[in-house]
Amino acid sequence: MLKAKKAGFCFGVKRAIDMAEKAVVNGKTKSLGSLIHNQQVVDYLKSKGIEPADSLEEITDGEQLVIRSHGVPPEIYRESQKRNIKLIDATCPYVQKTQGLAAALSKDNYVIVVGDKDHPEVKGILGWAGQGSKAINTLDEAKELPYLPSIAVLAQTTQHQGTFSSIVEELKKHTDNLIVHNTICKATEERQAAAQALAEEVDVMIVAGGRSSSNTRKLAAICSQITPTYLIETAAEIQKIWFKDANCIGLTAGASTPDWIIEEVYTKMSEILENANEVVVEETSEVKKMDETNIMDSFEDELPSIYGGAIVKGTVVKITDEEVFLDIGWKSEGIIPREELDATSVLNLDEPVKIGDEISAMVTRVENKEGYTVLSRKKVAEQEARERLAELAESKEEIQAKVTGVTKGGLLVELGMRGFIPASQIETRYVEDLNKYLGETLRLRVIEYDPGQKKLILSQKAILMEELEKKREQLLENL
Ligand code: SF4
């Protein structure tokens, strides 16, 4: 098993987390957006009292606000100053440099930022560039640009070098004056180069990091063009079957992946490999066959990135008793085994699928023996359910769920993960016979949710008590 030479936390992300941890000692601290695109680290920071806020409206005047490494547009600084919000500016110095260039170059040039227009870093840079600026992310978008007298081109710091270079070449055809500033961060380049080099050496690549992290997804996309690749957020997602035919496995991690997750993944992979040694010896001939046919040579550049953990969209083209077949626009169809089709009632995704439906699913195996990409709709639903449950735990909004099981101490419901309603939280009075609730739909509120511990506790009593209290208050008012 080999680890990429450069992987994990970059300087900018590490600096932002250090600054936030120091700030929280002095008082209530929020970050504008998640400080880092990694759910496990966000949960850790929350436990320390550093909460993400979606906008300045959620910040109370006088509170501390951390600007994350992605940076923000200038109006955030102006508004914060007006409202006496204490800013802890953790914008990465490399991003600050790009923002400064955008502001200066926009005076005489149309500014193009090669990057994702919806990414906060790009939004921030465009804010500094002002009106005469635009983000483009693909060669096709560059081809659609009109002639412009003067263009200055910058890059999102996590942009892939190859994409940036090809867009720069295209831009030369759209202006007589092109100013190029390659603002791709070295940390990103180094991680991408190290991941690519490692992917060329190994049979399977594991990329550890948040699925919402742009740089992690790019690492997975780069590796998936070379060898079967799986993107995982935690060690618990690793499946032995991925390594069945592998002699050598590579591990890399996004710039927002902390060392402790990399270590956990490394340890889990080592354990799997130790136990898999006999299997590999037995199956040497099959491994050799894979080398001879050089399966991965058939990967073509224009194919979409398919890697374990990637979320793909596809159209249902065939349904059998065992599987649902999806056209995912790749060299082979995707299949969702029946047991991976179930969705969750909390998301209202439990309607049956029909031919022609467009659905999202997560890649769980890049290619099975028959050459199909194995997908799971259930995993996407579970991921969305986790996000929804976190919202419900925060908002205390009422939901409804059917009781699917009864235990000694309470009731069970399925909400993308198993939820537990303690007997003491069902009614306002003591309940003797729990069995009568089986199959019943209850009105519920999330009272405790810890995805790490797989803990979801709900209460109907909380809602009933609140209603009783309201009635009591109304009665008192009318007396
Ligand atoms: S990837 Fe580079 S630019 Fe982005 S935060 Fe890290 S060091 Fe800064």
Side-chain angles (χ1 to χ4, degrees):
M1 193 166 75
L2 300 170
K3 234 196 256 185
K5 290 206 171 79
K6 293 271 179 187
F9 268 3
C10 63
F11 146 80
V13 167
K14 191 171 180 318
R15 176 175 171 270
I17 289 174
D18 287 348
M19 286 172 82
E21 283 188 311
K22 276 186 194 140
V24 78
V25 178
N26 300 324
K28 211 163 175 207
T29 306
K30 289 196 173 139
S31 63
L32 200 52
S34 294
L35 203 52
I36 173 170
H37 284 152
N38 185 294
Q39 194 51 47
Q40 290 68 33
V41 181
V42 170
D43 291 342
Y44 162 78
L45 291 169
K46 273 189 191 167
S47 74
K48 293 224 151 195
I50 304 157
E51 291 278 343
D54 288 333
S55 68
L56 280 188
E57 275 77 65
E58 291 176 33
I59 317 289
T60 318
D61 291 5
E63 252 179 6
Q64 300 193 103
L65 177 68
V66 182
I67 294 181
R68 55 188 172 176
S69 57
H70 300 318
V72 290
E75 56 266 25
I76 299 288
Y77 291 92
R78 287 196 289 268
E79 183 64 21
S80 305
Q81 201 176 13
K82 257 196 248 161
R83 292 189 34 206
N84 192 28
I85 293 169
K86 186 173 178 234
L87 285 186
I88 290 108
D89 190 354
T91 308
C92 176
Y94 297 126
V95 177
Q96 261 168 355
K97 186 183 151 201
T98 312
Q99 292 173 341
L101 280 168
L105 291 164
S106 63
K107 290 187 185 120
D108 302 312
N109 309 279
Y110 190 81
V111 174
I112 300 274
V113 181
V114 180
D116 174 0
K117 66 178 185 339
D118 295 321
H119 191 281
E121 180 194 314
V122 175
K123 284 184 181 170
I125 297 168
L126 292 176
W128 286 91
Q131 295 262 309
S133 63
K134 186 183 172 76
I136 55 172
N137 212 12
T138 63
L139 194 53
D140 285 344
E141 283 171 16
K143 283 180 183 163
E144 279 167 20
L145 281 175
Y147 173 84
L148 292 155
S150 184
I151 297 178
V153 58
L154 308 168
Q156 182 178 349
T157 51
T158 50
Q159 188 53 257
H160 184 234
Q161 182 58 56
T163 308
F164 182 69
S165 303
S166 60
I167 288 179
V168 166
E169 278 312 304
E170 177 61 31
L171 291 179
K172 286 179 185 165
K173 299 175 196 159
H174 297 258
T175 184
D176 293 324
N177 183 33
L178 183 68
I179 302 166
V180 182
H181 283 274
N182 184 345
T183 48
I184 296 175
C185 164
K186 270 226 168 335
T188 308
E189 272 189 278
E190 284 168 357
R191 275 156 185 73
Q192 290 177 353
Q196 185 164 345
L198 184 55
E200 273 155 15
E201 266 184 69
V202 301
D203 302 312
V204 175
M205 272 299 285
I206 297 294
V207 180
R211 288 197 177 84
S212 55
S213 153
S214 139
N215 76 77
T216 305
R217 284 204 310 266
K218 271 190 192 127
L219 286 179
I222 290 168
C223 297
S224 72
Q225 300 300 313
I226 304 165
T227 198
T229 300
Y230 295 92
L231 190 162
I232 52 162
E233 289 199 340
T234 64
E237 293 175 32
I238 299 174
Q239 292 177 33
K240 273 187 197 167
I241 193 144
W242 298 344
F243 312 126
K244 188 175 161 284
D245 294 327
N247 276 326
C248 189
I249 304 169
L251 169 64
T252 188
S256 46
T257 312
D259 286 348
W260 51 270
I261 289 188
I262 301 175
E263 279 316 309
E264 264 176 29
V265 171
Y266 191 84
T267 309
K268 175 88 185 271
M269 284 164 67
S270 307
E271 282 166 15
I272 289 177
L273 283 190
E274 269 166 33
N275 298 332
N277 275 346
E278 304 111 52
V279 180
V280 172
V281 172
E282 274 170 24
E283 295 189 353
T284 309
S285 56
E286 200 173 325
V287 171
K288 196 162 164 269
K289 193 170 92 209
M290 188 171 119
D291 287 341
E292 279 166 3
T293 52
N294 208 359
I295 289 167
M296 298 325 295
D297 277 356
S298 63
F299 267 70
E300 292 161 31
D301 280 352
E302 68 271 22
L303 292 174
S305 300
I306 296 287
Y307 49 84
I311 310 284
V312 293
K313 260 203 178 141
T315 308
V316 177
V317 289
K318 190 168 128 191
I319 300 173
T320 68
D321 287 346
E322 302 295 317
E323 290 136 344
V324 169
F325 290 72
L326 289 192
D327 176 2
I328 53 170
W330 205 47
K331 59 178 185 168
S332 57
E333 281 172 354
I335 50 164
I336 308 178
R338 277 274 164 192
E339 64 277 13
E340 290 300 319
L341 203 57
D342 291 355
T344 59
S345 57
V346 75
L347 295 163
N348 295 322
L349 284 173
D350 48 2
E351 322 90 53
V353 289
K354 306 181 294 301
I355 300 230
D357 279 358
E358 197 178 74
I359 56 177
S360 298
M362 186 187 285
V363 177
T364 56
R365 242 188 119 182
V366 177
E367 223 169 29
N368 68 4
K369 270 192 199 150
E370 288 81 35
Y372 291 112
T373 301
V374 186
L375 306 165
S376 168
R377 185 185 184 222
K378 193 170 157 186
K379 284 209 159 50
V380 172
E382 281 170 358
Q383 193 176 315
E384 289 174 5
R386 278 198 294 275
E387 286 162 17
R388 176 82 178 113
L389 287 169
E391 277 170 24
L392 290 171
E394 192 89 17
S395 67
K396 304 288 174 213
E397 189 189 316
E398 179 182 325
I399 51 164
Q400 296 199 347
K402 202 180 263 185
V403 176
T404 53
V406 177
T407 69
K408 245 187 179 177
L411 307 173
L412 302 174
V413 286
E414 276 306 325
L415 291 167
M417 71 180 277
R418 179 161 290 181
F420 180 63
I421 310 155
S424 61
Q425 292 295 330
I426 302 172
E427 304 285 358
T428 51
R429 56 188 159 71
Y430 173 72
V431 179
E432 203 158 331
D433 178 19
L434 296 180
N435 288 315
K436 67 178 181 189
Y437 291 99
L438 194 61
E440 290 291 308
T441 299
L442 300 185
R443 300 166 61 201
L444 296 168
R445 177 177 291 166
V446 176
I447 54 171
E448 199 182 340
Y449 175 55
D450 183 344
Q453 303 286 329
K454 296 206 165 130
K455 194 172 181 186
L456 173 63
I457 312 284
L458 302 113
S459 168
Q460 176 171 253
K461 184 180 170 183
I463 299 169
L464 301 176
M465 289 298 283
E466 204 174 82
E467 286 174 352
L468 273 179
E469 182 59 23
K470 271 190 195 147
K471 271 189 196 155
R472 200 180 67 87
E473 280 171 13
Q474 269 170 6
L475 265 175
L476 284 174
E477 270 172 29
N478 295 335
L479 275 179

